[in-house]
């Protein structure tokens, strides 16, 4: 997280830590974690922890380990070509089903899914929260969770970002309506934050309540604007996938 | 050995009897005879009330006579000086002398013979209930026509026992009714109806006239009913003193009519009929009877159906109804069965929620499931209340028997993320 500040897991109780590679995910209910497809595309059994603020070994030992039952990547996600840098992050979304339900509490709590109404359409300037243990201005990754508040901006803004050391042609990058561009100078998500929730307040409710509008997906560089997977476009897929893969209810 | 006659002489008779003598003779003649004792000679020292020397005649422990002095026959044609007749067959004669320096006395001479006794007339107590026949040495009793002599050979009665009435309706009366009933009789009747019927006796007050009770309330003649463990009577008097309808609660009834020797009256007449044994219409709780009747009788079968939420449990099997039959003893079969509230058991637990332990889990009990707030909420807002239903299940108005679900509350962090302005 660039331009962020220390946070506690109680601020983002839906935040799931993915180890190897370091990434994030969002708990959306007792059995499912939402993350970016590129986080789990090469790892069908990711190592996950929930309910932790700091990534010290002792903290991980006391954290709640989440065990994978299956990983389901969105069918529209194109598999990585090792030879070329990835320039197409369309449909960067995946679901991880857990073997055991997460017991909710002050440190474990899901984030809501977006509604499908127009109220959930984001406009430039809408402010959302990001969180993660990824790269900061000073470190490749951090021990303690960090969070930041970033504004939504137009996709064109992200399209205009120039890489300092381009590994691909600017026109090769695919930007679609399945993505959200957000950030401002100095405030951004970065490597290691992938898959984490881009959270917005549910509109028109009294008590603050957050839903996952986006997932940290990619960016040409860190520190200005980043691209997030627009979760609203996948709600049907998410619900359908969860329903199809839910076994007999245990309660 | 009993003898028909004999002689008794004082000691040394006809010589003078000695001083200080006590001698007794036990006279016995055959049974059925009396004793005629007579003295032909008496010469015993005279004294006031024969206090010194005497001859005593004792019968049955009672002194019947005491003689002393010199006696002579009052009749020139008879040697008998003194005589006694006793209607008993035993007699004791005792001679007593004391010391005396006076002139000498010769004592006494007496004879006895067995004499016939007329048992029919000689005694205060009449030996026969009806006809008494004397003969030499005894007597016998005899009875009028229709009577028979009882085993005691003294009393006559009529042969009135043994009748058994099995018809469902009938009439019974005392012998000779309405003419005077026989004396000294014991008439035993039996009413034996088939099982399931009770004997009901009806009596008209005017159909009863039996020798009334004495001053102490005892009936010399009486009519008594006996059924199972209960007795009705004894009854006597002019007009039936008991209830005019007697429900015996039994299919058998014994009737005893006892009379004594005296005071024969008109007697009695009764009617009886068999009434099907009825079983009480019990108000068993929480159930309905079918058919619903005002009165149930022997062999009636009712279906007892528990009202909603109640069941009858037999062993490990429960059902909503059972059958009961009115039995011959007036009791219902299966009377031990009762409709009791349906038991729903311990409510199932749910994940991420709880339910309070109900005091009892019977029909109508209400329980509430709750979710572990603030991290879970109930999927259906009104889905927490369950009621123990008639089918023995915990039922929710919306979900039926399905358990409520506690859903994680989403999007609410425990602590809000505060962005520090720089």
């Amino acid at each position: 997280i660039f331009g962020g500040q220390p946070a506690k897991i109680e601020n983002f109780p839906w935040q799931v830590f993915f180890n190897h590679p370091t990434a994030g995910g969002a708990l959306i209910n007792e059995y499912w974690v939402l993350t970016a497809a590129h986080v789990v595309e090469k790892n069908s059994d990711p190592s996950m922890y929930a309910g932790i603020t700091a990534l010290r070994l002792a903290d991980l030992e006391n954290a709640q380990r989440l065990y994978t039952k299956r990983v389901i990547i969105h069918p529209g996600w194109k598999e990585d070509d090792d030879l070329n840098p990835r320039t197409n992050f369309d449909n960067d979304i995946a679901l991880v089903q857990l073997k055991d339900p997460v017991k909710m509490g002050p440190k474990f709590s899901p984030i809501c899914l977006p509604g499908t109404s127009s109220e959930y359409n984001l406009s430039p300037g809408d402010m959302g929260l990001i969180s993660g243990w990824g790269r900061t201005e000073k470190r490749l990754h951090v021990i303690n969770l960090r969070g930041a508040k970033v504004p939504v901006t137009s996709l064109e803004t992200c399209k205009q970002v120039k890489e300092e050391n381009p590994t691909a042609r600017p026109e090769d990058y695919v930007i679609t309506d399945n993505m959200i561009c957000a950030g401002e100078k100095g405030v951004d998500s970065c490597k290691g934050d992938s898959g984490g929730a881009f959270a917005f307040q549910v509109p028109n409710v009294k008590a603050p309540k957050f839903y996952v509008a986006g997932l940290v997906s990619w960016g040409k560089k860190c520190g200005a604007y980043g691209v997030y997977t627009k979760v609203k476009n996948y709600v049907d897929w998410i619900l359908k996938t969860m329903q199809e893969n839910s076994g007999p209810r245990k309660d | 050995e009993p003898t028909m006659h004999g002689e008794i002489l004082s000691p040394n008779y006809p010589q003078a009897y000695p001083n200080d003598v006590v001698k007794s003779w036990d006279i016995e003649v055959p049974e059925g005879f009396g004793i005629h004792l007579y003295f032909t000679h008496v010469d015993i020292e005279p004294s006031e009330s024969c206090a010194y020397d005497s001859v005593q005649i004792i019968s049955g422990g009672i002194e019947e006579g005491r003689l002393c002095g010199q006696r002579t026959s009052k009749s020139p044609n008879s040697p008998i000086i003194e005589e006694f007749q006793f209607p008993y067959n035993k007699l004791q004669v005792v001679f007593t002398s004391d010391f005396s320096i006076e002139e000498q006395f010769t004592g006494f001479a007496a004879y006895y013979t067995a004499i016939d006794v007329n048992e029919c007339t000689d005694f205060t107590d009449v030996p026969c209930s009806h006809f008494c026949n004397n003969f030499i040495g005894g007597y016998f009793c005899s009875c009028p026509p229709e009577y028979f002599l009882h085993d005691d050979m003294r009393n006559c009665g009529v042969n009135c026992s043994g009748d058994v009435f099995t018809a469902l309706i009938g009439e019974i009366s005392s012998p000779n009714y309405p003419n005077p009933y026989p004396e000294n009789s014991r008439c035993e009747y039996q009413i034996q109806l088939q099982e399931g019927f009770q004997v009901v006796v009806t009596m008209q007050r005017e159909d009863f006239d039996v020798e009334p009770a004495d001053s102490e309330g005892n009936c010399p003649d009486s009519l008594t009913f006996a059924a199972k463990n209960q007795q009705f009577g004894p009854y006597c008097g002019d007009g039936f003193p008991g209830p005019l309808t007697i429900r015996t609660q039994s299919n058998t009834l014994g009737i005893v009519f006892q009379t004594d020797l005296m005071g024969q009256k008109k007697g009695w007449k009764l009617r009886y009929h068999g009434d099907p044994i009825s079983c009480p219409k019990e108000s068993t709780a929480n159930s309905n009877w079918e058919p619903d009747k005002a009165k149930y009788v022997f062999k009636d079968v009712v279906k007892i159906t528990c009202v909603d939420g109640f069941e009858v449990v037999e062993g490990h099997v429960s059902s909503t109804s059972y059958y009961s039959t009115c039995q011959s003893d007036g009791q219902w079969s299966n009377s031990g069965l009762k409709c009791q509230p349906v038991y729903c058991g311990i409510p199932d637990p749910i994940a991420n929620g709880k339910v309070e332990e109900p005091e009892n889990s019977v029909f109508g009990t209400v329980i509430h499931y709750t979710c572990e707030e603030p991290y879970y909420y109930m999927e259906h807002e009104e889905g927490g209340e369950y009621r123990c239903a008639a089918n023995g299940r915990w039922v929710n108005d919306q979900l039926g028997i399905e358990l409520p679900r506690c859903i994680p509350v989403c999007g609410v962090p425990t602590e809000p993320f505060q962005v520090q302005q720089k």
Side-chain angles (χ1 to χ4, degrees):
Chain A
I1 301 290
F2 276 56
Q5 60 193 66
K8 294 195 294 184
I9 193 66
E10 287 85 351
N11 303 137
F12 303 97
W14 47 80
Q15 183 76 34
V16 174
F17 171 66
F18 280 66
N19 205 358
H20 311 301
T22 298
L27 193 65
I28 55 173
N29 64 31
E30 293 164 295
Y31 281 100
W32 294 90
V33 173
L34 194 62
T35 189
H38 76 267
V39 172
V40 290
E41 67 178 339
K42 291 176 181 170
N43 189 358
S44 60
D45 186 17
S47 174
M48 297 173 289
Y49 295 86
I52 51 170
T53 298
L55 300 181
R56 296 183 200 91
L57 191 57
D59 295 316
L60 288 178
E61 285 173 353
N62 294 324
Q64 182 169 354
R65 175 77 191 269
L66 308 181
Y67 293 95
T68 304
K69 184 176 181 183
R70 62 168 67 89
V71 171
I72 302 170
I73 296 173
H74 190 275
W77 173 256
K78 290 188 177 174
E79 290 191 10
D80 189 20
D81 179 356
D82 285 339
L83 297 177
N84 298 313
R86 179 177 281 278
T87 54
N88 182 0
F89 286 85
D90 196 21
N91 304 310
D92 190 10
I93 189 168
L95 281 165
V96 179
Q97 187 179 17
L98 304 177
K99 281 181 179 171
D100 306 305
V102 176
K103 180 68 179 173
M104 304 306 173
K107 294 182 178 180
F108 314 96
S109 178
I111 190 167
C112 306
L113 289 174
T116 53
S117 68
S118 60
E119 290 178 319
Y120 288 86
N121 293 337
L122 296 176
S123 301
D126 290 348
M127 299 298 289
L129 294 173
I130 54 174
S131 54
W133 291 273
R135 184 179 167 184
T136 64
E137 298 89 335
K138 296 180 179 177
R139 304 183 65 88
L140 282 178
H141 62 85
V142 293
I143 296 293
N144 289 304
L145 182 67
R146 298 180 73 82
K149 199 169 189 178
V150 292
V152 174
T153 185
S154 66
L155 281 174
E156 189 61 29
T157 306
C158 285
K159 201 179 286 182
Q160 298 300 326
V161 172
K162 291 181 180 175
E163 284 184 85
E164 291 167 353
N165 300 304
T167 53
R169 291 177 300 171
E171 61 271 26
D172 290 341
Y173 286 99
V174 176
I175 292 184
T176 71
D177 192 46
N178 294 325
M179 300 172 189
I180 300 167
C181 179
E184 60 185 349
K185 190 171 175 55
V187 186
D188 194 7
S189 54
C190 196
K191 186 177 174 59
D193 296 323
S194 289
F198 185 22
F200 283 76
Q201 278 203 36
V202 173
N204 301 323
V205 293
K206 287 181 182 175
K209 190 173 183 178
F210 290 86
Y211 71 96
V212 54
L215 298 171
V216 177
S217 181
W218 64 283
K220 291 177 184 174
K221 61 179 182 180
C222 296
Y225 303 101
V227 180
Y228 299 82
T229 306
K230 190 192 284 186
V231 176
K232 184 171 185 285
N233 290 1
Y234 299 96
V235 171
D236 290 343
W237 173 78
I238 291 168
L239 295 175
K240 182 167 175 281
T241 301
M242 289 195 299
Q243 187 178 10
E244 288 175 352
N245 290 280
S246 62
R249 192 179 292 168
K250 290 185 178 179
D251 56 1
Chain B
E1 288 295 316
T3 55
M4 291 297 287
H5 57 86
E7 178 187 61
I8 304 172
L9 302 173
S10 56
N12 294 339
Y13 181 83
Q15 303 301 317
Y17 57 78
N19 287 329
D20 295 325
V21 169
V22 175
K23 183 171 181 176
S24 69
W25 295 263
D26 289 321
I27 300 166
E28 184 175 357
V29 299
E31 277 198 28
F33 289 87
I35 297 172
H36 180 211
L37 175 70
Y38 59 93
F39 289 83
T40 57
H41 176 86
V42 175
D43 180 22
I44 299 171
E45 181 186 10
S47 60
E48 179 73 23
S49 302
C50 302
Y52 298 148
D53 298 348
S54 67
V55 58
Q56 289 174 276
I57 299 94
I58 300 170
S59 173
I62 297 171
E63 185 181 282
E64 297 289 346
R66 181 184 283 238
L67 303 178
C68 62
Q70 287 182 321
R71 302 285 190 91
T72 56
S73 173
K74 293 167 184 171
S75 169
N77 300 322
S78 172
I80 295 174
I81 298 168
E82 195 77 43
E83 64 182 342
F84 301 88
Q85 287 203 5
F86 302 99
Y88 311 107
N89 68 327
K90 288 179 182 173
L91 190 67
Q92 189 179 38
V93 175
V94 179
F95 174 75
T96 307
S97 69
D98 64 357
F99 176 77
S100 178
I101 57 172
E102 293 185 15
E103 58 183 301
Q104 294 193 330
F105 301 95
T106 55
F108 70 90
Y111 300 89
Y112 69 87
T113 60
I115 57 171
D116 180 43
V117 173
N118 188 342
E119 290 89 347
C120 298
T121 57
D122 288 354
F123 300 97
T124 308
D125 293 335
V126 179
C128 296
S129 66
H130 288 77
F131 304 143
C132 183
N133 305 280
N134 182 55
F135 60 87
I136 296 173
Y139 73 99
F140 66 91
C141 300
S142 59
C143 304
E146 307 295 326
Y147 287 67
F148 72 97
L149 189 62
H150 285 296
D151 291 341
D152 62 5
M153 303 306 286
R154 298 182 61 174
N155 292 304
C156 297
V158 293
N159 196 357
C160 56
S161 293
D163 280 348
V164 177
F165 299 83
T166 57
L168 274 177
I169 188 166
E171 188 175 284
I172 307 172
S173 60
S174 56
N176 305 332
Y177 184 87
N179 296 317
Y181 52 75
E183 67 279 28
N184 198 41
S185 295
R186 179 182 174 86
C187 302
E188 296 183 0
Y189 310 97
Q190 277 283 325
I191 299 174
Q192 289 184 355
L193 305 184
Q194 63 189 92
E195 278 203 348
F197 289 87
Q198 67 162 325
V199 178
V200 178
V201 174
T202 53
M203 180 83 79
Q204 301 290 327
R205 194 169 294 281
E206 62 272 18
D207 289 343
F208 188 88
D209 184 15
V210 173
E211 184 182 1
D214 60 20
S215 58
E216 294 177 355
N218 298 316
C219 291
D221 300 341
S222 64
L223 178 65
T224 306
F225 305 101
K228 277 190 180 169
N229 301 325
Q230 46 185 344
Q231 177 176 306
F232 306 91
Y235 300 116
C236 61
D238 185 7
F240 188 64
L244 297 182
T245 299
I246 297 174
R247 296 186 172 278
T248 63
Q249 300 294 328
S250 168
N251 65 320
T252 62
L253 179 69
I255 302 171
V256 176
F257 181 48
Q258 179 84 51
T259 66
D260 68 357
L261 277 169
M262 310 288 285
Q264 292 91 318
K265 298 283 188 176
K266 182 173 74 172
W268 48 266
K269 179 179 73 177
L270 62 82
R271 292 180 180 81
Y272 77 88
H273 69 274
D275 200 10
I277 289 283
S278 63
C279 287
K281 184 181 181 183
E282 295 171 358
S283 58
T284 51
N286 308 309
S287 59
N288 295 315
W289 285 35
E290 184 184 348
D292 186 15
K293 299 199 295 187
K295 183 183 179 184
Y296 296 94
V297 297
F298 177 53
K299 288 186 179 174
D300 273 354
V301 177
V302 291
K303 183 182 183 184
I304 299 171
T305 304
C306 301
V307 299
D308 255 6
F310 289 79
E311 63 184 354
V312 59
V313 179
E314 287 183 89
H316 297 292
V317 180
S318 67
S319 59
T320 56
S321 65
Y322 62 99
Y323 290 90
S324 190
T325 304
C326 180
Q327 301 176 124
S328 61
D329 59 356
Q331 302 293 316
W332 289 101
S333 66
N334 288 334
S335 58
L337 299 180
K338 296 280 179 285
C339 287
Q340 50 196 351
V342 165
Y343 181 68
C344 282
I346 305 299
D348 290 331
I350 58 168
N352 306 313
K354 62 183 179 181
V355 60
E356 77 268 29
E357 189 80 26
E359 280 187 19
N360 49 33
S361 296
V362 297
F363 175 67
T365 301
V366 175
I367 56 171
H368 291 90
Y369 282 94
T370 53
C371 291
E372 294 172 11
E373 293 179 337
Y375 305 109
Y376 294 87
Y377 69 96
M378 199 160 285
E379 186 174 31
H380 296 86
E381 270 187 26
E382 302 299 327
E385 184 174 291
Y386 283 70
R387 186 178 299 270
C388 181
N391 61 359
R393 305 291 299 270
W394 294 103
V395 175
N396 173 263
D397 289 343
Q398 291 181 329
L399 301 175
I401 61 170
E402 188 183 332
L403 290 173
R405 291 187 66 207
C406 290
I407 306 296
V409 172
C410 70
V412 182
T414 318
E415 297 177 22
F417 179 65
Q418 302 289 349
V419 178
Q420 294 173 3
Q421 299 294 328
K422 292 184 177 176

